Amino acid sequence: MIYSIFARFANRSANLSVRDTLGMFFNDHRSKLTPDFPSNLNEAVKQLSVFEYASFEYLLYNHTPINYFTNFLMTVDKNLIINEVKQKKSQNLQMSIGQVAFTVKESNYFKYCPTCLKNDLVSLGESYWRLSHQLPSVMICSDHKEILHYSSVLYRNKNAQLVCPHLNNCNPSPLSQCVNDAS
Ligand SMILES: [Zn+2]
């Protein structure tokens, strides 16, 4: 997810606050990052190009759930939403995209696959939130066919934080267990 790009950068930068980190990329004063569709993404692309994220379209289609939420929309409606992500002042994008009325609600917490996490930490020394794991209704890691788990990191974090998945915030909490508990 695009959120992971900024979280990984924040872990390594000398910036003291999330606001400083996000200000570097978005050239504004936001204090938190919308995980799925951050506004003014076109501005951030200028800074991210040094990391080989080549264009707004590349980021949009590879690092946001745009296809998941707009696949069955009319082209004119899809373009309106894309412009909202691209520009500085985003209206209520969750409303535009239909997330508010969506019958399958998003998770309150980032989801992760234990095997992906373990493999990442061994091979990369760090991990990242995978886009496919965060989609509403997705409960299985498509790579390992394992049930996803909830992390303890809020998906829409009201406290300004940029957090990568790690053993500290990814304790076993399988979605199947949560479904059973709720029923
Ligand atoms: Zn996996």
Side-chain angles (χ1 to χ4, degrees):
M1 297 191 76
I2 193 164
Y3 175 98
S4 297
I5 298 171
F6 296 106
R8 291 171 59 213
F9 180 88
N11 279 350
R12 287 160 176 74
S13 77
N15 293 331
L16 296 177
S17 72
V18 171
R19 189 187 293 269
D20 290 342
T21 296
L22 297 178
M24 282 177 59
F25 286 99
F26 291 94
N27 195 26
D28 59 23
H29 301 291
R30 72 185 72 191
S31 60
K32 61 181 182 177
L33 184 68
T34 304
D36 43 6
F37 298 110
S39 62
N40 203 19
L41 198 51
N42 207 33
E43 179 69 26
V45 169
K46 297 175 190 170
Q47 308 298 328
L48 288 171
S49 60
V50 71
F51 301 116
E52 300 184 1
Y53 296 103
S55 66
F56 167 76
E57 287 75 17
Y58 179 86
L59 272 179
L60 183 72
Y61 288 107
N62 291 283
H63 296 280
T64 77
I66 190 76
N67 286 327
Y68 181 89
F69 286 107
T70 64
N71 202 29
F72 298 105
L73 293 184
M74 304 277 287
T75 302
V76 63
D77 294 331
K78 183 173 181 173
N79 287 339
L80 277 174
I81 289 165
I82 290 173
N83 278 334
E84 284 196 35
V85 182
K86 194 172 193 174
Q87 306 299 325
K88 196 158 194 168
K89 290 208 170 175
S90 175
Q91 301 304 312
N92 192 339
L93 192 58
Q94 278 186 282
M95 188 73 80
S96 306
I97 221 161
Q99 281 174 297
V100 172
F102 209 48
T103 45
V104 181
K105 298 299 181 190
E106 69 184 20
S107 166
N108 289 333
Y109 297 90
F110 279 99
K111 294 179 280 184
Y112 73 98
C113 160
T115 302
C116 286
L117 175 64
K118 188 174 87 177
N119 292 348
D120 286 348
L121 294 178
V122 170
S123 62
L124 306 172
E126 64 176 348
S127 190
Y128 56 94
W129 306 112
R130 283 161 169 77
L131 180 61
S132 63
H133 293 172
Q134 312 313 321
L135 300 176
S137 77
V138 170
M139 299 178 71
I140 304 284
C141 172
S142 56
D143 288 339
H144 301 106
K145 315 303 179 201
E146 289 182 34
I147 291 178
L148 298 176
H149 291 231
Y150 287 122
S151 73
S152 60
V153 180
L154 283 168
Y155 188 64
R156 298 197 186 276
N157 199 339
K158 293 183 174 60
N159 304 315
Q161 287 184 330
L162 288 168
V163 183
C164 290
H166 200 271
L167 297 175
N168 294 338
N169 54 33
C170 290
N171 296 312
S173 178
L175 269 61
S176 62
Q177 180 76 47
C178 297
V179 171
N180 291 336
D181 288 349
S183 60

